[in-house]
Amino acid sequence: MSGAGDCANLPPSAIIGPPQQGSHVKIFVISLRTAEIRRAEASEQMAKCGVAFEFFDAVEGSAGHSEWFAGIDHRLFQLNTRRYDPTPGEIGCYASHLTLWKWAISHDRPVVILEDDFQLEPGFVEVINNLEPLVREFGFIRLQSMHGPRALLKRLRPAAREVLRRNGLSVHYLSDPPLYALAYAISPGAARTLTRASSTLFAPVDKFLQHIWIHETPIYALSPALVTMSPQAEHSTIGGRRGKSINPYVLLGRTIYKGIGEFRRFGFDRKQFARMSDSRKVEGTNQRP
């Protein structure tokens, strides 16, 4: 696997904090029990880095949703995806993340969650071993790229805002988090707010995370990214997502729904910017890296 497990060291200036003896951050890799190739490649990468981790056997969504969700809001799910029902893979993927959020809460411990089609970037181990203070401060930190395709309506405002720069790495507040929940770190507090907002399934987990005004959990990202998608991502285990509605009433409702969401997102952003201005100073943003 080309480039997998590249743990070449970054310069010391790229480490976000003073070295620590080990890390209190628990690392989980979500993977189907039958995904032997993905598990082998994930294990190889982690072994090259000398990183301790644990596989989490991904939930099989074919048994339904009732064990993890009180119900499915089919109307909102259709507005979010143009499909009336989630696939079993979408149920299982969301339930897997939800289960690990609950683990973080019950153990009062930050966790790093990776889906098994990841590829580690240079410097991953150095940053992960010193990540806990940032996770506890910011709550939810995306470890993959903060950039992604943006619809025209969303291009009317910045997608990200730098809030901290330290020793070669920066933290950005994401007004418009991209799709995919490939890699992130989460604190028990952030896990609690996401769990509370997950009683009803109304979108796939990555779309749910985009709804920051609903779950009220600010999303941040590290730059440069520590994780990218491996070639395994081309073969999704989520399953087919066909049957998108072309009903004009559904399309109109979706447009209105997304427009209202943008206004609510703007309001949430303003609250976060005010909170950040009141509670902490932006560190180093006027300095050259």
Side-chain angles (χ1 to χ4, degrees), residues 3 17 22 24 43 86 186 206 240 253 257-258 261 279 284:
H24 191 57
S43 296
I186 188 169
D206 52 351
Y257 173 75
K258 292 175 73 173
S279 64

Side-chain angles (χ1 to χ4, degrees), residues 44-98:
E44 180 184 355
Q45 290 190 72
M46 293 299 199
K48 285 182 179 179
C49 293
V51 173
F53 77 101
E54 182 178 326
F55 279 118
F56 173 79
D57 293 338
V59 173
E60 298 274 5
S62 56
H65 68 274
S66 58
E67 185 176 344
W68 299 277
F69 305 99
I72 297 175
D73 190 324
H74 293 279
R75 183 184 65 86
L76 284 183
F77 195 88
Q78 188 174 53
L79 291 176
N80 277 302
T81 67
R82 291 170 49 201
R83 293 179 289 110
Y84 189 73
D85 291 308
T87 68
E90 287 172 326
I91 294 173
C93 182
Y94 197 149
S96 297
H97 286 268
L98 179 59

Side-chain angles (χ1 to χ4, degrees), residues 230-266:
S230 79
Q232 289 291 340
E234 298 177 5
H235 309 287
S236 174
T237 59
I238 296 296
R241 299 179 181 181
R242 299 177 181 175
K244 291 187 176 183
S245 175
I246 57 173
N247 184 307
Y249 292 105
V250 172
L251 299 180
L252 176 61
R254 176 175 164 85
T255 300
I256 295 171
Y257 173 75
K258 292 175 73 173
I260 293 173
E262 286 305 300
F263 280 109
R264 296 183 66 186
R265 185 192 303 276
F266 178 74

Side-chain angles (χ1 to χ4, degrees), residues 165 284 286-289:
R165 185 184 300 176
N286 296 319
Q287 302 175 6
R288 293 183 181 273

Side-chain angles (χ1 to χ4, degrees), residues 76-83 90 93-94 97 101 115 140 142 149 151 154 175-182 194 197-198 200-215 217 219 241 244 254 257-258 262 265:
L76 284 183
F77 195 88
Q78 188 174 53
L79 291 176
N80 277 302
T81 67
R82 291 170 49 201
R83 293 179 289 110
E90 287 172 326
C93 182
Y94 197 149
H97 286 268
W101 299 342
E115 294 181 346
F140 187 109
R142 184 180 170 96
K154 294 183 177 183
S175 174
D176 186 18
L179 287 173
Y180 304 113
L182 173 71
L194 292 178
S198 296
T200 300
L201 193 159
F202 64 88
V205 66
D206 52 351
K207 279 190 174 289
F208 164 76
L209 291 172
Q210 289 185 317
H211 287 65
I212 54 177
W213 64 93
I214 292 179
H215 56 65
T217 307
I219 305 293
R241 299 179 181 181
K244 291 187 176 183
R254 176 175 164 85
Y257 173 75
K258 292 175 73 173
E262 286 305 300
R265 185 192 303 276

